Each structure stands twice: as C-alpha cells, then as structure tokens.
C-alpha cells in the first residue's frame, strides 16, 4: 500500500468534488470458475483499490457520507472456522488503519445503514456495476431493479473519478514503471526463447509464470499467436513454424495492482522474411510517428489519424493501396488493414477505467466517440494532458474475411489494389505496442527500452547482446 496519507487525500479530493449525498463503493468478491469454491484469481475493483489501497480481501464496501462527513469500511474478519482453510489473515481494523478509515463495521450493517439514509431522502452515488454479483447486491441495497441500475449511475461521480485517476502521480508512475518492466521481461523471454515446433500455449505458459512471479499476475489473457490478424486471438495449441510471424501482446500487474501492456511481433524462425520486414517497418514508422506527436493539448484522435496515414503511405509504397493518403483515411479505407484504435489509457486497469464508460474516460461532450468501423474501437480520442499514461499500438492486420467482404461490397476501390492484397490473406498481423506517460513537452517511455526494430529483434532472438 501507499502511505495512509495518499488514500486520505484521494478521498478528500473526491469529497470536495461531490459535496452532498453518499458515495458507495462495492469491492469485488470471489468469482467462481466452475463451482462455488473454485475461483478465478481475485481482482479487486480498481476504484475501490484507488481510494482504499485494500486488495486481496473479498466482499468489502466503503462509503463516504458527505452530509455527516463519515467514512466507513464495511466487511467481516475471517472466523476461526474459515481460518481452518485460509490460515491467519490480517484484521480488517489493521487495513482500515493503513488506509486512514476511523470506522469499521460488520458487513451486515450496511443494509440498515443505507436503507436509513435512503429513508431520509439521501442520494446514493455509485459507479456502473460490471459484475453480476455486484448488480444483484446493489439492487438489493438500493431498492433499484437490476435493469435500472445503469440509468441511476452517478455521472458526477464518474466524472470526478475520471478527473482524478486519469492523471498519474509520481508514486503511481513508480508502480507503473515496475509493472511495465515485468511486462518487458515477459516479452524479452518470448523473443529470446520461442522456437519453431513449440505450441503457442507452451510459450504463453512460460510468460504466465513470469507475470505470476512478478507478484500481481496477468493483466489480461495472453495473446500469443501466429494469427495476429485477429486482434484478440489468444494462445492456442497451434504449433509455430519457421516462416510464421508471432504476435505477442501481454502484460502483468505488479503487487500494487498497476498494469503494463506491450506487444512485440517477431519471426518464429531466426529471421523476418524480406516482405515481413517491409510490413514491420511500416508499422514501426507509424508507431514512431505517433510517439513523436504525443504532447499535452494534442487530441489522441488526431494522433490516431496521423498513424493511420503513415500506414496508408507505407501500404501505397508496397503496392497494396493507391490514391491520396489523407482521402483514404477520411474515407476509412485504412480500416481494411487497421481495424482498431491506436491506444488507450492505462493504470490500475489495462484499459483504464473502461468500466466507467469510454464516453467519460476517452471523450468529452464536445468530442463524441464515432460509431464508424475502426474509429468506434478508438478508446481514447480526447486532448492529452500531462501525466496521462497510455499505450501506442498501431498495427497492420490482413484479415481474409474482411478483405473478401469489403471486396465483394466494392468498397474502397479508389484506394485499395485488391488483386495485390489477395496474396496477403495468409500474411497474419503485426503490432508494436509500448506504454508512455505524457510529460510537459512530449512523452516518456515507461519501462526500460526493449528491442523494437526488426534488426534489434533478430539480434535479440539470435542471442546477441544489444
Ligand atoms: N493489449 C490488449 C488490448 O489493448 O486490448
Ligand atoms: Mn493495449
């Protein structure tokens, strides 16, 4: 945990923004995999973690009563019978002390507390719940049908939290740096140790081990695949072969719950083919151009469009596209090969605060999120500010299904040389992803640099020291 003052201060800022009513934060519970006592790894709710620092303990709530200036942590200590299974556990009162809570109450008291407050006409602010257990619990506590919970979420609370969590403090940046370095170790291991003949899963398993050893575990299911053209294709039993491109997108949480998210694409054999290298360099150029454009005040949507233009220019040089690059991007022709967004905020969540709603996290009332294919997957569009942490992850994805469909529809005929594209339907996909913090004048890479050019990656694969 950070020092107690961090959490007291974070809650104080939140209190100042909202002024009246009750702010209710449910912590997460254990989530069963296939029967009640067999759980997925525990993941605390990120806003709960941000304001309390309390991780690993399921079924907690905290609330801030703005009208009485109370902060109460609700939960149960483990009983002797539970300790038969789990051993000694730190007392809730000890966590409360470290988090700066003066009052701890048993879980069963939250129902009466909230019903009394609701009886007095007090407003309860809550975030949109994303787990079914949370939805049922909130529905019971607040007398709101599950289906209506979303309509009653507190937009002022969402906005106040986004404004607070989107700018990372110096102590958070230390944690993010650590998470990205664990993530970097996963990628370095994959680049050095992947061999033809291994299955995707065999390497993904080794990377999982590095993430778990780092103390926090995987930040999201590992994408390690020769079929990188499918954006979230997870590792499978597919055997990697010489000539394949391996797209590895993975990341780890550190012990404090902060995450890292990187992607590298490398040859399953020793070297990229000349064509693979050409396409790789197009993606790398788009990546570097985007990174050079990062600074406070620039709209990330414009950086996305700039990277898209670089991709189009590269594909034009390669003979796959034609015409004016700006017009191609304006028409959306680049989405035949780059179907998603350039990046997203990162922090306690890999897609930071996505559960609060992308319209509040990545956009503003003046800049609404597009509903067009491609742009609708851009999670961050708004102006960047100093201390934002985000990913930059352009890619080229030769999806045979999409190519066939767009060709049959007669789309983008002014910009795409479909005959030339045909031979790329088995090419795969390439992405290069790194994490950055926005500084006063530009951006700074998080974590130690890792081999990024095709030559550096080949050198690292062939065990040369860089
Ligand atoms: N790295 C996974 C994602 O950004 O969705
Ligand atoms: Mn990402």
């Amino acid at each position: 945990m950070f020092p107690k003052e961090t959490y007291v201060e974070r809650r104080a800022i939140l209190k100042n923004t909202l002024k009246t009513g009750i702010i209710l934060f449910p912590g997460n519970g254990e989530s069963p995999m296939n029967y009640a006592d067999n759980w997925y790894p525990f993941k605390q709710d990120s806003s709960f973690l941000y304001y309390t620092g309390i991780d690993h303990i399921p079924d907690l709530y905290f609330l801030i009563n703005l009208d009485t200036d109370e902060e109460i942590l609700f939960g149960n200590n483990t009983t002797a019978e539970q300790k038969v299974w789990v051993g000694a556990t730190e007392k809730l009162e000890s966590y409360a002390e470290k988090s700066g809570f003066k009052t701890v109450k048993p879980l069963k008291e939250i129902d009466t507390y909230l019903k009394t407050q609701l009886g007095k006409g007090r407003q309860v602010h809550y975030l949109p719940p994303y787990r079914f257990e949370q939805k049922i619990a909130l529905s019971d506590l607040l007398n709101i049908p599950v289906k209506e919970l979303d309509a009653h979420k507190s937009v002022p609370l969402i906005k106040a939290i986004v404004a607070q969590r989107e700018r990372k403090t110096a102590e958070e940046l230390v944690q993010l740096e650590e998470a990205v370095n664990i993530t970097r170790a996963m990628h370095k291991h994959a680049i050095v140790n992947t061999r033809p003949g291994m299955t995707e899963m065999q390497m993904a398993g080794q990377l999982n081990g590095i993430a778990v050893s780092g103390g926090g575990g995987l930040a999201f299911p590992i994408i390690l695949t020769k079929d990188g053209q499918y954006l979230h294709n997870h590792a499978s039993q597919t055997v990697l072969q010489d000539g394949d491109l391996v797209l590895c997108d993975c990341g780890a949480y550190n012990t404090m719950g902060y995450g890292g998210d990187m992607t590298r694409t490398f040859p399953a054999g020793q070297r990229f083919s000349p064509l693979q290298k050409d396409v790789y360099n197009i993606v790398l150029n788009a990546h570097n151009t985007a990174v050079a454009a990062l600074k406070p005040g620039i709209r990330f949507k414009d950086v996305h469009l700039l990277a898209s233009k670089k991709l189009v220019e590269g594909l034009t040089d390669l003979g796959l596209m034609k015409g004016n690059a700006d017009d191609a991007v304006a028409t959306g022709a680049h989405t035949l090969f780059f179907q998603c967004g350039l990046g997203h905020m990162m922090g306690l969540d890999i897609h930071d605060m996505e559960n609060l709603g992308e319209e509040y996290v990545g956009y503003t009332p003046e800049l609404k999120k597009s509903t067009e294919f491609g742009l609708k997957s851009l999670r961050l569009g708004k102006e960047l500010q100093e201390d934002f942490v985000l990913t930059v992850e352009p890619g080229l994805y030769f999806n045979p299904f999409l190519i066939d469909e767009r060709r049959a529809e007669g789309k983008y005929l002014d910009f795409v040389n479909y005959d030339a594209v045909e031979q790329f339907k088995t090419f795969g996909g390439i992405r290069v992803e790194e994490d950055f913090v926005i500084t006063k004048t530009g951006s700074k890479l998080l974590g130690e640099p890792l081999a990024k050019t095709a030559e550096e990656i080949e050198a690292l694969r062939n065990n040369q020291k860089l």
Side-chain angles (χ1 to χ4, degrees), residues 232-243:
H232 281 180
N233 195 37
H234 297 131
S236 74
Q237 296 296 354
T238 302
V239 177
L240 299 170
Q241 289 171 348
D242 200 359

Side-chain angles (χ1 to χ4, degrees), residues 14-53:
L14 187 62
K15 283 194 259 191
N16 251 332
T17 341
L18 277 168
K19 307 270 192 258
T20 180
I22 291 163
I23 313 175
L24 177 64
F25 285 92
N28 277 339
E30 298 287 9
S31 185
M33 242 189 282
N34 51 346
Y35 48 91
D37 284 346
N38 195 30
W39 305 317
Y40 289 106
F42 178 77
K43 181 79 189 99
Q44 184 56 284
D45 174 78
S46 301
S47 291
F48 189 97
L49 187 59
Y50 180 85
Y51 289 106
T52 67

